[in-house]
Amino acid sequence: MLFLTEILGAEVIDVRQHRTGAVRDLTVRVQEPYPVVTGLVVSRRGQLVIPWSEVRTFAAATREVALRATREDIERQSADPNAIWLARDVMDKQVVDTDGRRVVRVNDLQLVEGGGSLLLVGADIGIRGILRRLGLEKLAKSAARLLGRDLPMVLVSWEVVAPLGSAPDLEHPVSDDAIRLRISGSRIAKLHPADIADIVEDLGAKERKTIFDTLTEDIAADTLEEMELADQVSVIEHMDAERASEILEEMPPDEVADILTELPREQADRLLSLMEKEEAQDVKELLAYEEDTAGGLMTTEYVAVPERLTAQQCIDELRRMEPNAESIYYVFVIDAEEHLRGVLSLRDLIVAQPDTLISSIMIRDVITVHLEDGVKEVAAVLSKYNLLAVPVVDDAFRIQGLVTVDDALDAVLPESIKRKLPKAR
Amino acid sequence: MTRLAVRLRRFRRLFILLAVIGPGLITTNAGNDAGAIATYSQAGAEFGYQMLWILALITVSLAVVNEMSARMGVVTGKGLADLIRERFGVRGTTLAMVLLLVANAVTTMAEFAGVAAALELFHVPKYASVPLVAIAIWLLITRGSYPVVERVLLSIGVVYLAYIVSGIVSHPDWGEVIRSTLVPHPVPSLNYFLLAIGLIGTTIAPWMLFYLQSSVAEKGIPNEQLPYSRVDAISGAIFADVVAFFIIVAAAVALYGKLDAATLANMQAADYARALEPVVGSAAFILFGIGLFGASLLSGGVVPLSTAYTVTEAFGWERGVGHRMADAPAFFGIFTGLIVIGCLAVLIPGVPLVSLILLSQEINGLILAAILVFMMVLVNDRRIMGRYVNGRLINTIAWATVALLVSLIGLLLAFSIPGSPLSG
């Protein structure tokens, strides 16, 4: 991942190591969903535009652009007067949302190399962009770290930006050259992990890695969760093991197990050994089950409480556990040997008198599936009883995990249908 | 029938003029704030009519700069900070915004100090007057739509007529006044020179350039009505300087040669009103007091408003008095913040107001030079202005003005920086 400001001002060097000038701007051709960079505007005698195909490499560290051609060859090129120049026509422009409300300005532009070309994938509309251009980004980041805070990157995906117009004509200067979004301003607070996932899925393995390297672990984990299994596997495969294990720790054990199943045995073992013990243990248990059974599908993140508690104690216990959103709907009641005795809904708990024993209000006939039940059976149970999740038990009726309705849906929907579903905005 | 049509067309023109007029008059009137009134009074009291010719020259400069601002606002539909950010990027804009925010905050304090001083002339304690005025300004701008806000601000401008009246009732020698205005006769003295620079500095302030263009842009005036907007901008410059003219005249008649240099150096706007009373009678005292109150009231509203426009433009946040507060939180936040700061600075004892105001004048001078150069680049950029770029004549006058202002500002800074060879 690259920001426009990182390439502006970089030294351009031709194939014979002659200096040709500094990068003043990039030109783009508008195409959906991401505009593609077509040329390099060099700040030397007027407006020299070098086609992007003549660019061999850009080294961010030394800020040097290396060309394939000689200086003389390039000087014969002429600029397209109608091209859009990123620094001149897009950078710093007003961003307005669907209601025509002014939101912010374009503080920087995010570029990603993919399939041999450079794509404009997003706009930085946060304070990080401003700090970067003031040369203060690193300083501010360490200052934030000292205060124990994270300086979040506020990006908006170019997919939600309406197509850019052509260059303004001189007779009628445009008073409205704003960058228009296709969504409402309140929704662009941040590039959602699902949006990052969409961008990443369109890219090659190498580019994916560059994007993931810039994300924090929890955002990387959220992004990974939004991706298809095959893509998840390829991302983890190409990532350095240490970092991969840190990202996997942030993910639900069932997803991790799915990914690890697809990886070569050796690599999966290595990742497991790098992960924290507790997380690794959950994953290992899941790995023991066949992929297309309830055991393979389930997550081990569920809420279970001992049957001797009162309603008040039970609520206190939930507060202490802070269960995640997926598992809060059902509270399972177990005995000392983890046998599943009943189930409570949050509603039952809250309306009960505080000193009522939960064993007296729980539902004893729990709908369950067995570890070895196939995914279709699990889906059928969820559908038949209108459940958000169903507990998974072993032969002795001990609770082992939980299959949520969205995991089950994912498993039974054929791949071909999933591809046809519209991308949700 | 044709006569009716002609008459109707005339009415239509008048109607458009009335609709377009406002920003220029409000901006330049708000520029005649407590500090400016003190400077004009001092010019008259210390040098009589001998500075009037300089005022005439300043009027030309102000009119030219105002016209450019209005033209940029009409043609681009954007504020000056919008254009500066889009053309010159983050670095220059951020620096300018930080300086402007500081300078405008201090200027707001000075306006509220003016409100306090003016009403103390009429024995209203500042602990009552300042909070009440602050709340009134805040309610007007946060609750009113743009047309309402503009009309109220315009009508506050009527109080400046008080100064014109007080100039006339002081019975000057008109032949002498006219001769002094048209024939340059510089006085070879350091004080004269310094006061001349001060006169220029109070007439053009950076926040005025930003406010004029933003409010023209907010009105959404179409290109065809540019001539009317020009009339507004230029007549604003003329009206403001006519007011200045009569303040100098009134002070010259009443006080020239009667006060020693040490007394003059420490006099504020309200002190001149007091000094006028025994000489020209209580009518002039009351008129000066009313004028000072109106001037401080107007500027106390316009300076925070200008700041809110400018900063939100630079960073692209929603803005404009026509919005609800929840839709433009930064805009109303900056506006409210400045009013609160201005108000508290006057009410809390021990705030070094005088030295803060001097500091803000220096910062203003510094940014004004940069902003004027930015403006010249922008107004001559065909990508931005299309066929409405400056003509050759306007460019010559404008660059001459800029060069003069920049060099005078440079001198002013050299004089005011302690330890420099020029500073007293």
Side-chain angles (χ1 to χ4, degrees):
Chain A
M1 184 157 62
L2 177 70
F3 284 103
L4 180 64
T5 45
E6 290 171 324
I7 197 168
L8 290 181
E11 189 98 51
V12 181
I13 294 177
D14 80 350
V15 74
R16 286 182 305 198
Q17 299 296 311
H18 289 304
R19 292 185 171 184
T20 311
V23 178
R24 212 180 89 198
D25 213 331
L26 295 181
T27 62
V28 293
R29 184 179 69 238
V30 177
Q31 68 172 40
E32 292 283 310
Y34 307 116
V36 56
V37 173
T38 53
L40 202 64
V41 183
V42 177
S43 64
R44 190 162 158 277
R45 273 183 280 129
Q47 301 178 345
L48 175 61
V49 180
I50 301 172
W52 190 252
S53 54
E54 297 292 342
V55 174
R56 193 156 49 92
T57 54
F58 167 65
T62 51
R63 287 170 55 79
E64 275 181 4
V65 176
L67 302 179
R68 291 180 209 280
T70 63
R71 200 160 63 185
E72 290 71 27
D73 287 342
I74 283 156
E75 282 174 4
R76 271 177 234 129
Q77 311 277 356
S78 62
D80 170 11
N82 291 320
I84 291 177
W85 292 22
L86 288 185
R88 186 190 66 189
D89 300 330
V90 182
M91 193 85 126
D92 288 319
K93 285 291 184 290
Q94 179 76 53
V95 177
V96 294
D97 71 0
T98 34
D99 311 323
R101 198 170 315 168
R102 290 177 275 227
V103 190
V104 75
R105 283 183 183 278
V106 178
N107 291 333
D108 208 342
L109 291 167
Q110 190 188 11
L111 305 161
V112 165
E113 243 177 319
S117 50
L118 192 63
L119 301 175
L120 172 61
V121 296
D124 186 330
I125 54 170
I127 185 79
R128 283 273 291 267
I130 290 182
L131 290 168
R132 188 177 314 115
R133 292 174 68 187
L134 293 174
L136 298 173
E137 191 184 20
K138 284 209 177 106
L139 191 74
K141 244 169 104 177
S142 12
R145 198 163 297 159
L146 270 180
L147 297 171
R149 294 265 182 85
D150 199 24
L151 204 57
M153 193 89 94
V154 189
L155 300 167
V156 52
S157 165
W158 207 261
E159 280 190 309
V160 303
V161 173
L164 298 168
S166 54
D169 67 317
L170 298 183
E171 266 315 291
H172 302 92
V174 263
S175 58
D176 200 359
D177 50 1
I179 307 296
R180 297 198 167 271
L181 300 180
R182 293 193 270 224
I183 52 172
S184 153
S186 51
R187 289 182 57 200
I188 58 156
K190 174 174 186 184
L191 189 58
H192 189 269
D195 295 329
I196 307 179
D198 279 348
I199 297 175
V200 172
E201 278 179 342
D202 294 338
L203 300 170
K206 209 180 122 209
E207 291 76 40
R208 283 180 186 161
K209 184 181 175 306
T210 27
I211 288 206
F212 266 93
D213 285 349
T214 63
L215 303 175
T216 61
E217 269 123 44
D218 50 331
I219 293 185
D222 288 348
T223 307
L224 210 54
E225 268 184 70
E226 300 286 344
M227 294 168 64
E228 298 296 329
L229 181 59
D231 295 316
Q232 290 176 330
V233 172
S234 115
V235 168
I236 292 293
E237 232 177 347
H238 289 90
M239 204 177 272
D240 136 275
E242 196 107 353
R243 170 138 170 104
S245 67
E246 278 165 13
I247 293 174
L248 291 177
E249 277 171 16
E250 303 282 332
M251 293 176 65
D254 56 327
E255 297 239 2
V256 179
D258 290 346
I259 296 172
L260 294 186
T261 319
E262 301 290 318
L263 287 175
R265 187 62 193 259
E266 254 171 62
Q267 200 177 356
D269 285 347
R270 181 162 156 66
L271 285 175
L272 272 175
S273 67
L274 284 168
M275 283 173 68
E276 265 174 52
K277 270 225 176 77
E278 208 176 309
E279 321 271 337
Q281 191 54 41
D282 286 346
V283 178
K284 273 183 201 155
E285 280 170 19
L286 290 169
L287 278 173
Y289 305 110
E290 289 292 326
E291 222 183 301
D292 54 355
T293 64
L297 201 58
M298 72 187 185
T299 172
T300 50
E301 286 179 18
Y302 57 89
V303 179
V305 294
E307 56 187 336
R308 58 184 160 72
L309 299 185
T310 64
Q312 185 57 49
Q313 286 169 326
C314 183
I315 290 171
D316 291 343
E317 181 68 9
L318 285 178
R319 206 163 274 152
R320 193 187 59 75
M321 290 193 284
E322 295 178 26
N324 65 28
E326 276 189 337
S327 53
I328 188 82
Y329 299 109
Y330 301 109
V331 177
F332 298 104
V333 183
I334 51 174
D335 64 13
E337 278 87 46
E338 296 212 328
H339 293 106
L340 183 57
R341 304 303 300 260
V343 66
L344 286 165
S345 69
L346 276 184
R347 180 195 167 276
D348 298 335
L349 260 185
I350 290 160
V351 299
Q353 290 302 317
D355 49 1
T356 318
L357 279 176
I358 55 171
S359 54
S360 66
I361 51 169
M362 69 186 185
I363 298 160
R364 288 170 192 276
D365 292 325
V366 191
I367 312 287
T368 59
V369 291
H370 188 267
L371 278 174
E372 281 158 26
D373 286 349
V375 282
K376 291 209 173 127
E377 281 166 75
V378 176
V381 168
L382 283 166
S383 152
K384 182 174 173 192
Y385 298 100
N386 280 327
L387 298 173
L388 292 169
V390 62
V392 182
V393 294
D394 62 6
D395 291 332
F397 214 68
R398 280 185 300 233
I399 185 163
Q400 300 293 314
L402 184 75
V403 178
T404 59
V405 69
D406 50 331
D407 282 348
L409 189 66
D410 245 8
V412 293
L413 264 188
E415 204 56 28
S416 56
I417 290 186
K418 266 193 253 178
R419 293 223 181 277
K420 283 180 199 155
L421 291 176
K423 270 187 184 171
R425 285 249 148 80
Chain B
M1 193 62 201
T2 36
R3 275 178 61 189
L4 182 66
V6 167
R7 198 174 288 174
L8 274 179
R9 218 168 59 210
R10 264 194 209 142
F11 269 121
R12 208 179 92 82
R13 277 206 197 145
L14 186 69
F15 180 74
I16 297 175
L17 182 64
L18 286 179
V20 168
I21 226 156
L25 275 167
I26 292 173
T27 310
T28 43
N29 274 338
N32 275 349
D33 55 5
I37 290 165
T39 309
Y40 302 143
S41 308
Q42 193 191 344
E46 199 168 347
F47 294 103
Y49 303 142
Q50 296 172 91
M51 280 193 146
L52 290 177
W53 67 278
I54 299 179
L55 189 69
L57 287 183
I58 293 174
T59 311
V60 176
S61 290
L62 184 61
V64 166
V65 173
N66 267 1
E67 190 275 330
M68 292 198 306
S69 283
R71 177 151 41 99
M72 280 162 65
V74 170
V75 172
T76 65
K78 292 176 183 174
L80 183 56
D82 275 319
L83 295 178
I84 290 178
R85 169 72 192 269
E86 287 173 12
R87 185 70 161 68
F88 301 101
V90 164
R91 280 178 196 228
T93 312
T94 309
L95 183 65
M97 288 309 122
V98 170
L99 290 175
L100 204 66
L101 203 57
V102 174
N104 288 1
V106 177
T107 310
T108 311
M109 294 177 196
E111 310 306 358
F112 279 102
V115 169
L119 289 176
E120 273 172 354
L121 287 175
F122 304 108
H123 310 292
V124 181
K126 65 179 180 181
Y127 292 100
S129 63
V130 172
L132 280 178
V133 166
I135 290 169
I137 292 174
W138 189 83
L139 284 178
L140 166 70
I141 289 174
T142 52
R143 297 275 181 264
S145 65
Y146 186 79
V148 172
V149 172
E150 190 180 81
R151 253 168 262 161
V152 174
L153 293 181
L154 261 181
S155 34
I156 298 177
V158 171
V159 298
Y160 287 99
L161 294 175
Y163 284 113
I164 298 181
V165 174
S166 63
I168 293 169
V169 299
S170 66
H171 301 296
D173 173 352
W174 287 107
E176 178 66 24
V177 167
I178 290 166
R179 198 165 39 252
S180 305
T181 311
L182 299 179
V183 185
H185 43 267
V187 178
S189 101
L190 180 64
N191 259 4
Y192 183 83
F193 180 66
L194 284 181
L195 200 54
I197 298 177
L199 207 58
I200 295 168
T202 52
T203 316
I204 286 192
W207 64 260
M208 291 169 65
L209 302 178
F210 285 101
Y211 181 78
L212 177 53
Q213 192 175 333
S214 298
S215 49
V216 167
E218 176 157 356
K219 288 192 91 165
I221 299 166
N223 282 3
E224 304 81 64
Q225 292 175 17
L226 179 60
Y228 300 100
S229 204
R230 281 186 168 140
V231 169
D232 172 48
I234 294 170
S235 58
I238 293 171
F239 179 72
D241 282 354
V242 165
V243 170
F245 175 88
F246 279 104
I247 296 175
I248 295 181
V249 168
V253 172
L255 305 172
Y256 180 41
K258 293 181 184 132
L259 298 169
D260 61 274
T263 321
L264 278 170
N266 291 316
M267 280 177 74
Q268 298 297 316
D271 302 326
Y272 286 102
R274 281 197 197 90
L276 280 173
E277 194 174 17
V279 191
V280 265
S282 58
F285 167 78
I286 292 170
L287 288 172
F288 252 64
I290 292 173
L292 179 60
F293 172 66
S296 304
L297 183 68
L298 179 60
S299 326
V302 171
V303 177
L305 193 55
S306 167
T307 317
Y309 272 118
T310 310
V311 176
T312 50
E313 276 171 17
F315 295 104
W317 299 318
E318 190 52 284
R319 60 188 158 271
V321 293
H323 287 281
R324 284 183 307 141
M325 232 179 287
D327 289 338
F331 180 81
F332 289 107
I334 293 167
F335 175 76
T336 310
L338 281 192
I339 288 198
V340 170
I341 290 172
C343 205
L344 289 181
V346 178
L347 296 183
I348 296 174
V351 176
L353 260 184
V354 176
S355 41
L356 278 176
I357 291 167
L358 282 176
L359 175 76
S360 82
Q361 279 171 0
E362 279 154 33
I363 298 178
N364 268 335
L366 208 66
I367 5 183
L368 180 62
I371 302 293
L372 281 172
V373 174
F374 280 165
M375 253 182 91
M376 288 304 290
V377 174
L378 289 166
V379 80
N380 281 306
D381 188 334
R382 272 187 193 277
R383 285 189 72 83
I384 296 168
M385 295 296 289
R387 63 188 177 86
Y388 294 98
V389 292
N390 275 0
R392 197 172 290 173
L393 179 69
I394 294 274
N395 251 344
T396 314
I397 300 176
W399 274 120
T401 303
V402 170
L404 183 73
L405 280 174
V406 168
S407 47
L408 285 178
I409 289 159
L411 280 171
L412 182 65
L413 288 177
F415 276 116
S416 55
I417 291 167
S420 83
L422 292 174
S423 68

